[in-house]
Amino acid sequence: MTTSPYAEQLGRARTAADFAAVIALLDTDLSAAIANRPGLRQAEDRAVFGDGDLAAARAAVDDNNDAIAVLEKTIAAADERRGAAAAAEARADIEALGGETGARAALLGKRWSAVRRLVEELRQELFEADALIRTIATANGLFDAAGLCDLKANLAATRRAAMAGPRAAAPARLSRAGLQADRILLSLIRPGGALDPRPSLRAPLAGAKKKPVPASTRG
């Protein structure tokens, strides 16, 4: 029994998987050598009592024991190198992840810059829309006073028509902060949201008159 068939493979091994493959072969040989041990010892015992060549039997036992010792030592050394290779591979993976994370962080910075730019554009559009609302509301008041209600512009209908259309679906794994920000943004375009105030439930409508209580139900 000798480890020489695997010496070249051990020398070429570089990765943890390479060492694991050689260790598997060494384990197979070690198991075979250990399985041979009882038979060789029995042959030695028979030779002691004159059944066989005692010197040859003892030499076979010694050779087998030496092979087992060498295999165990080789496996231990190979396993140590496998562990070192696995640790090096893990470090390399972490370093690669570090590089990817740095690139993602740079991309994230660009995304946040784009968010800020779009928010500022949104604010400017809201400012201009608010100014138009106040101007139109003033004109609507003049039309009311002049009895020309057909000239009035319906602010709510205009806003809802402009806000209609498909909406992007939120990702399944959106963070809590992302969900909250998404709700805030949707509140700006959703009917009944921040820009579409509606009277609360049971609140009287402007201009509505309270119905008189029938005399039969009084007191």
Side-chain angles (χ1 to χ4, degrees):
M1 189 75 61
T2 176
T3 61
S4 58
Y6 310 116
E8 185 177 353
Q9 294 181 53
L10 284 172
R12 290 200 309 265
R14 292 293 181 271
T15 68
D18 293 339
F19 286 109
V22 180
I23 289 171
L25 296 174
L26 291 167
D27 277 335
T28 298
D29 284 359
L30 177 60
S31 297
I34 292 173
N36 288 338
R37 183 183 284 168
L40 294 173
R41 286 181 175 173
Q42 289 174 6
E44 181 184 17
D45 290 342
R46 289 194 300 270
V48 169
F49 294 100
D51 183 10
D53 187 334
L54 180 58
R58 286 178 173 171
V61 170
D62 291 341
D63 287 345
N64 192 66
N65 288 337
D66 290 344
I68 290 173
V70 171
L71 284 166
E72 290 175 340
K73 185 180 295 185
T74 304
I75 289 171
D79 191 56
E80 184 176 350
R81 293 177 65 187
R82 182 201 60 77
E89 290 166 10
R91 279 196 304 273
D93 289 342
I94 291 173
E95 290 172 357
L97 179 61
E100 294 174 4
T101 301
R104 290 191 178 102
L107 179 59
L108 177 61
K110 292 181 179 179
R111 293 291 187 187
W112 282 129
S113 295
V115 168
R116 181 187 178 283
R117 174 178 54 78
L118 292 172
V119 168
E120 289 301 322
E121 289 180 7
L122 173 61
R123 293 179 68 224
Q124 187 61 42
E125 292 293 340
L126 287 173
F127 297 156
E128 295 179 7
D130 188 71
L132 287 170
I133 288 172
R134 286 184 281 109
T135 300
I136 294 171
T138 300
N140 282 347
L142 294 175
F143 298 148
D144 270 334
L148 300 173
C149 294
D150 58 324
L151 297 179
K152 291 174 62 176
N154 190 321
L155 294 172
T158 301
R159 194 204 71 86
R160 290 169 192 168
M163 294 295 187
R167 299 173 186 169
R173 298 185 63 184
L174 193 61
S175 68
R176 182 177 300 178
L179 284 171
Q180 183 175 0
D182 187 50
R183 291 192 193 101
I184 293 172
L185 291 174
L186 286 176
S187 73
L188 299 176
I189 61 174
R190 182 185 293 122
L195 298 179
D196 185 28
R198 297 184 177 187
S200 60
L201 188 64
R202 297 182 180 277
L205 297 177
K209 296 182 179 179
K210 187 176 181 180
K211 292 183 179 179
V213 177
S216 60
T217 62
R218 295 177 184 174

